[in-house]
Amino acid sequence: MQSLRVYAIDGIVPVVDPTAYVHPSAVLIGDVIVGPGCYVGPCASLRGDFGRLILEAGANLQDTCVMHGFPGTDTVVEENGHIGHGAVLHGCRVGRNALIGMNAVIMDNAVIGEASVVAASAFVKASQEIPPRMLVAGMPAKVIRPLSDEEIAWKADGTRTYQELTRRCLATMVETAPLTAVEPDRPRIEMPDVIPLTELKKRGG
């Protein structure tokens, strides 16, 4: 596998726990700390050239996400935090087991409470504080309602799927050349236990 795109600045070197997986196309600069069991997806940018960036144990930061912050600040995704494709985190704190939806933006000094969910494309204003276990949506973001136990359990299952992806990537992902044709009986990636929330709700009646 190709080497990671990791850069020191002012003598400060990013830290990546050996049990974390960082895709080689992601970029880590300066004061970045990636904790145990974390997943950092393709083309993510973690620019610790001003403030410190921290991914705590079991967190994931998916494709094309951006983390950055002002000098003297920490941008933190707490344990089991789940950051969807294309989200931007700037000088904020995402609480334990919280989920940030795809293309959402979380601004400086905002705090997302434990086990809350920020909907896709939401904009959380600077210094806004979201209580625990809430669904948040809109531009600007507003609390919509409390989350059900079922929704929080679904979120936790999704994060465990990414923690398993971390282990799969460490064990099996290799850089390779593409095939020139689809082979007969091409296998599929089988994940029968991963079920969309909408489908779970249908099954529950």
Side-chain angles (χ1 to χ4, degrees):
M1 178 179 289
Q2 67 193 76
S3 60
L4 300 178
R5 297 165 72 183
V6 176
Y7 304 88
I9 189 168
D10 296 337
I12 299 176
V13 179
V15 177
V16 178
D17 188 275
T19 63
Y21 176 79
V22 178
H23 191 274
S25 66
V27 178
L28 279 58
I29 299 172
D31 198 359
V32 176
I33 301 169
V34 178
C38 289
Y39 173 87
V40 177
C43 301
S45 174
L46 294 85
R47 261 185 58 211
D49 48 12
F50 289 173
R52 176 168 293 176
L53 313 180
I54 302 170
L55 294 179
E56 294 186 358
N60 68 75
L61 187 80
Q62 298 172 21
D63 320 53
T64 72
C65 288
V66 173
M67 287 184 75
H68 195 239
F70 284 113
T73 66
D74 289 358
T75 304
V76 181
V77 180
E78 293 183 9
E79 184 176 355
N80 295 334
H82 190 108
I83 313 301
H85 315 288
V88 176
L89 308 180
H90 203 279
C92 58
R93 176 172 287 268
V94 176
R96 185 177 183 275
N97 201 39
L99 183 152
I100 307 303
M102 293 180 278
N103 290 315
V105 176
I106 316 297
M107 291 299 293
D108 298 277
N109 301 313
V111 178
I112 309 302
E114 180 174 347
S116 282
V117 171
V118 176
S121 297
F123 178 81
V124 177
K125 296 186 294 185
S127 300
Q128 188 172 359
E129 295 195 16
I130 305 301
R133 297 175 62 98
M134 292 293 171
L135 174 64
V136 178
M139 300 178 67
K142 295 179 181 175
V143 173
I144 304 300
R145 59 172 174 81
L147 291 165
S148 67
D149 290 342
E150 178 191 40
E151 289 167 326
I152 291 172
W154 172 82
K155 183 272 162 196
D157 285 343
T159 298
R160 282 190 288 272
T161 299
Y162 267 87
Q163 291 164 351
E164 175 59 25
L165 177 60
T166 296
R167 293 186 285 271
R168 288 171 56 209
C169 288
L170 289 170
T172 72
M173 186 177 285
V174 293
E175 190 170 11
T176 187
L179 301 175
T180 57
V182 178
E183 62 270 53
D185 300 319
R186 180 177 174 86
R188 290 182 177 270
I189 293 175
E190 300 289 346
M191 302 181 71
D193 295 331
V194 180
I195 303 168
L197 183 59
T198 51
E199 180 61 27
L200 281 178
K201 288 183 173 181
K202 286 179 186 176
R203 294 180 187 183

